[in-house]
Amino acid sequence: MMNLLQYIIIKLIRFLKECCTNLLHLFSTFTNTSQSNEMEMTHRLLTFESTSKQTSKRVRVNRQIAQGGFSYVYEATDADTDRTYALKRINCGTDSELVQLCRKEAKVHSTFSHPSLLKLLGFQMETSSQALQQQQHDEGMVHVCYMLFPYLAGGSLRDEITRRNLLPSCDDTRQL
């Protein structure tokens, strides 16, 4: 029998999967991002304001460690403490609906607290007219979403989920 926490985690996974599917569908129109744009990310310094607005976290982007259908994940280092983080970058292009989906994803990450879920440490939406020129869009501003998470060494999230056997079996999800 499934307890309430397992039920919530399954619902969260389904919701995030749906968000990812929607983002992937919307992002498919913006897949012309050049390799040089990704190379320009390396060594870039980004600042994330804390929720209290009294401190900020400055991270330097090191190297790309993963790539999905709509996002890139980079290893980033705190400029002051040398602590390592994972930085997720989502290219939203000029699509305001995709921007809103990114904000919803950030809200979901910051709402839940569980040992099996990564804590969102920072969120930033960047708007760039320079990126607009590089991607050759004619209308609107180009938006790029950044999410800062703790860095987990030892493989991808998929590897960790498989290792811990965190996904419910098909029989468990049918009972819901």
Side-chain angles (χ1 to χ4, degrees):
M1 183 111 187
M2 192 176 314
N3 66 29
L4 181 59
L5 183 58
Q6 290 172 323
Y7 175 77
I8 291 171
I9 290 173
I10 290 170
K11 285 293 193 179
L12 176 63
I13 290 169
R14 286 182 179 168
F15 175 77
L16 290 174
K17 182 179 177 183
E18 183 180 329
C19 286
C20 290
T21 302
N22 290 337
L23 286 171
L24 180 59
H25 174 72
L26 291 171
F27 185 75
S28 65
T29 59
F30 302 106
T31 56
N32 295 330
T33 305
S34 69
Q35 194 74 357
S36 64
N37 286 343
E38 294 313 312
M39 298 299 274
E40 291 171 8
M41 279 297 297
T42 306
H43 305 297
R44 185 165 176 210
L45 190 64
L46 297 172
T47 302
F48 291 88
E49 298 296 326
S50 72
T51 54
S52 65
K53 303 282 185 195
Q54 294 175 353
T55 61
S56 60
K57 199 177 291 293
R58 295 179 317 128
V59 296
R60 182 165 313 282
V61 180
N62 297 330
R63 63 185 176 94
Q64 183 177 319
I65 55 177
Q67 179 177 343
F70 59 92
S71 65
Y72 302 88
V73 179
Y74 297 89
E75 178 185 274
T77 306
D78 189 301
D80 299 319
T81 66
D82 286 334
R83 185 173 176 181
T84 303
Y85 297 99
L87 177 69
K88 181 177 181 180
R89 176 181 184 225
I90 303 171
N91 297 318
C92 299
T94 59
D95 191 317
S96 61
E97 187 174 340
L98 187 55
V99 170
Q100 291 305 314
L101 286 172
C102 287
R103 292 184 194 283
K104 285 181 183 179
E105 180 181 346
K107 186 174 182 178
V108 167
H109 277 289
S110 61
T111 300
F112 290 95
S113 176
H114 187 271
S116 296
L117 299 175
L118 289 176
K119 180 180 179 182
L120 180 66
L121 302 172
F123 174 79
Q124 173 178 313
M125 188 65 71
E126 183 179 86
T127 304
S128 171
S129 58
Q130 181 181 17
L132 178 66
Q133 294 167 354
Q134 290 173 354
Q135 293 185 11
Q136 298 175 351
H137 290 291
D138 295 328
E139 56 187 51
M141 300 295 278
V142 171
H143 300 277
V144 180
C145 170
Y146 296 99
M147 294 184 197
L148 191 66
F149 295 99
Y151 178 76
L152 295 179
S156 69
L157 177 59
R158 181 173 299 183
D159 295 339
E160 187 67 15
I161 288 171
T162 302
R163 186 182 70 75
R164 291 188 190 185
N165 195 22
L166 294 176
L167 288 179
S169 70
C170 292
D171 293 335
D172 289 342
T173 57
R174 284 189 203 128
Q175 292 175 3
L176 297 176

